[in-house]
């Protein structure tokens, strides 16, 4: 029987938001983690030139692989052979390729709950078994070495995400080192999703590659590089492992879009423009962290990175999806329901994405303030 996987409920909220927009409503899209800024100007200029001059066949850019390899040296001080890098249509296929090339059907793979919806669903689609570890505010919603040491029997793998979706929390360097050590000792293969690297408001996130050279690393041009719709990312594998995902990729996907690869190479040097986006997110984060507690949303872990705030709304509802739908109908502010990230406790959380402009955040807060004030409180559970 094909694996049963759950829908991505934020897409349903987004459809509703677009429907309301079609009826004339003013909508602020805070449901998806996608920058509203578009690709850097230098990337667009290259794309225009390439469109007029190249036939664009199947292709994986050697220059882009070399540039990504240099990024690991510059940013993390780790030397990487360009041949270890596989260009993919975003982090999503990179995740699929990492899992399919590392594990056998029936293998158990640990992950934090809450976590990105596609981890659980991709594992299930590949007949792998998610071992969800409930992570609360005490570990800032992140997996720890102690969690991984306690799973009995040891899982075949673990998916680590720092900064994480939906909370934006970062795993500190000492904990990353401890996780790597436990995984080495117990034979647990690490898949590290580093898609939010570059987007941090405290110290920069460290790569798992610094602690575990055999980890598989996923990254993408969708977030920091503001190129979600260009569909480009990469998988970095240990040298001995790299041919396996490459063989799967050439059968399943051939190559990623040529145009995106040309543009992405230019984007990697558009630091000034991209750092400007982070200043906007930093301001948005501050505005929300200051305003949300005044709306009664006090249970939030301030995000260290990414562009999300995961907020406890358990005093108002037990149905985060219904809550998000009502919220967008009444105010035009679209958010993601916690059930996408946590099937156990997510009914009492929502996620705000602040990858929008600061005036949009300000307008959202103007609308949310009276709306939250008017919401009846649930009786505390006895
Ligand atoms: C944690 C995480 N990983 C992977 C992805 C997939 O990103 P993409 O396929 O656009 O690179 C997302 C998208 O939001 C995400 O939040």
């Amino acid at each position: 029987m094909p694996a049963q996987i759950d829908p991505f409920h934020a897409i349903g909220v987004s459809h509703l938001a677009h429907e309301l927009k079609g009826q004339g409503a003013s909508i602020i899209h805070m449901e998806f983690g996608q920058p509203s800024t578009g690709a850097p100007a230098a990337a667009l200029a290259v794309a225009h030139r390439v469109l007029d001059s190249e036939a664009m066949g199947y292709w994986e850019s050697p220059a882009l692989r070399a540039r990504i390899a240099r990024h690991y040296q510059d940013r993390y001080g780790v030397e990487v052979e360009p041949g270890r890098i596989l260009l993919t249509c975003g982090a999503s296929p990179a995740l699929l390729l990492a899992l399919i090339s590392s594990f056998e059907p029936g293998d158990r793979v640990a992950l934090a709950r809450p976590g990105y919806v596609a981890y659980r669903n991709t594992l299930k689609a590949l007949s792998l078994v998610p071992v969800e570890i409930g992570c609360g505010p005490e570990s800032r919603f992140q997996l720890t070495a102690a969690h991984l040491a306690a799973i009995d029997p040891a899982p075949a793998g673990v998916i680590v995400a720092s900064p994480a979706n939906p909370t934006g929390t970062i795993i500190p360097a000492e904990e990353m080192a401890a996780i790597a050590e436990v995984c080495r000792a117990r034979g647990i293969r690490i898949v590290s999703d580093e898609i939010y690297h570059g987007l941090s408001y405290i110290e920069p996130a460290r790569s798992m590659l610094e602690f575990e050279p055999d980890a598989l690393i996923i990254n993408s041009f969708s977030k920091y590089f503001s190129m979600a719709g260009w569909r480009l990312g990469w998988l970095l594998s240990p040298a001995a492992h790299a041919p396996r995902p490459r063989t799967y990729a050439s059968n399943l996907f051939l190559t990623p879009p040529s145009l995106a690869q040309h543009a992405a190479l230019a984007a990697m040097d558009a630091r000034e423009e991209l750092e400007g986006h982070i200043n906007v997110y930093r301001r948005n984060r501050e505005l929300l962290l200051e305003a949300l507690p005044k709306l009664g949303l006090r249970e939030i872990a301030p995000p260290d990175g990414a562009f999300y705030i995961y907020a406890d709304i358990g005093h108002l509802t037990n149905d985060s999806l219904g809550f998000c739908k009502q919220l967008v109908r009444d105010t035009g502010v679209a958010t993601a329901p916690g059930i996408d990230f946590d099937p156990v406790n997510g009914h009492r959380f929502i996620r705000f994405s602040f990858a929008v402009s600061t005036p949009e955040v300000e307008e959202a807060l103007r609308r949310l303030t009276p709306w939250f004030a008017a919401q009846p409180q649930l009786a505390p559970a006895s």
Side-chain angles (χ1 to χ4, degrees):
M1 230 206 3
Q4 287 290 317
I5 64 171
D6 307 317
F8 194 170
H9 295 288
I11 294 177
V13 176
S14 197
H15 282 164
L16 174 59
H18 282 284
E19 204 179 297
L20 294 167
K21 203 179 207 161
Q23 294 162 13
S26 149
I27 301 294
I28 302 174
H29 286 285
M30 301 177 83
E31 75 276 35
F32 289 146
Q34 64 174 357
S36 52
T37 36
L44 290 176
V46 167
H48 282 292
R49 183 172 47 70
V50 168
L51 266 180
D52 289 335
S53 61
E54 290 204 19
M56 288 193 283
Y58 297 123
W59 181 60
E60 199 191 356
S61 163
L64 183 58
R65 284 161 68 187
R67 180 65 187 83
I68 293 171
R70 178 152 70 79
H71 170 74
Y72 282 91
Q73 180 71 62
D74 296 348
R75 169 83 196 273
Y76 308 106
V78 179
E79 201 173 320
V80 166
E81 247 294 298
R84 293 172 57 190
I85 292 160
L86 174 66
L87 298 174
T88 57
C89 300
S92 308
L95 172 70
L96 177 93
L97 292 165
L99 298 176
I100 204 170
S101 66
S102 301
F103 305 113
E104 291 176 16
D107 276 353
R108 295 157 62 251
V109 178
L111 65 163
R113 192 191 67 234
Y116 178 50
V117 60
Y119 299 151
R120 187 175 1 113
N121 287 333
T122 310
L123 287 166
K124 285 191 195 164
L126 294 175
S127 301
L128 300 170
V129 182
V131 179
E132 293 192 317
I133 312 294
C135 297
E138 66 293 341
S139 66
R140 305 196 73 240
F141 301 97
Q142 281 284 9
L143 279 180
T144 62
H147 287 133
L148 291 168
I151 305 172
D152 187 26
V158 61
I159 301 175
V160 174
S162 169
N165 179 3
T167 57
T169 56
I170 287 180
I171 304 177
E174 337 53 274
E175 195 61 43
M176 296 271 278
I179 289 173
E181 201 176 311
V182 168
C183 289
R184 256 192 311 276
R186 305 195 77 199
I188 304 172
R189 163 146 266 165
I190 302 176
V191 176
S192 180
D193 184 349
E194 303 186 352
I195 187 168
Y196 293 105
H197 276 218
L199 299 170
S200 41
Y201 312 105
I202 52 160
E203 59 197 345
R206 304 283 292 272
S207 174
M208 187 50 90
L209 208 57
E210 298 175 60
F211 306 97
E212 177 47 69
D214 279 345
L216 277 82
I217 312 291
I218 290 165
N219 209 327
S220 164
F221 287 89
S222 294
K223 311 293 178 179
Y224 174 76
F225 295 100
S226 191
M227 294 176 67
W230 294 72
R231 307 310 302 135
L232 192 66
W234 69 88
L235 170 65
L236 168 54
S237 310
H241 183 89
R244 301 190 56 174
R246 179 164 294 285
T247 303
Y248 277 107
S250 51
N251 280 281
L252 296 177
F253 307 115
L254 293 174
T255 58
S258 299
L259 187 63
Q261 297 179 64
H262 282 292
L265 183 59
M268 290 197 79
D269 289 318
R271 289 285 156 186
E272 206 179 315
E273 184 176 340
L274 296 170
E275 290 299 316
H277 299 337
I278 296 176
N279 292 335
V280 173
Y281 304 148
R282 185 174 287 113
R283 176 81 192 117
N284 294 350
R285 172 184 179 272
E286 277 165 16
L287 282 172
L288 286 165
L289 286 179
E290 194 188 313
L292 292 182
K294 294 184 195 150
L295 307 186
L297 305 184
R298 288 186 191 87
E299 302 296 320
I300 47 185
D304 307 321
F307 29 52
Y308 304 118
I309 290 186
Y310 196 54
D312 192 335
I313 48 163
H315 57 298
L316 301 175
T317 187
N318 283 316
D319 170 15
S320 55
L321 179 58
F323 188 89
C324 289
K325 288 186 175 168
Q326 199 56 48
L327 181 62
V328 71
R329 277 195 198 99
D330 292 349
T331 67
V333 179
T335 53
I339 45 162
D340 273 339
F341 312 102
D342 181 345
V344 178
N345 296 315
H347 58 275
R348 51 176 297 155
F349 284 86
I350 55 172
R351 188 197 69 180
F352 295 90
S353 162
F354 53 86
V356 290
S357 70
T358 302
E360 283 178 297
V361 171
E362 287 165 343
E363 176 57 23
L365 288 172
R366 262 192 295 279
R367 297 180 194 181
L368 294 178
T369 303
W371 192 85
F372 272 88
Q375 294 310 299
Q377 306 254 331
L378 290 184
S382 49

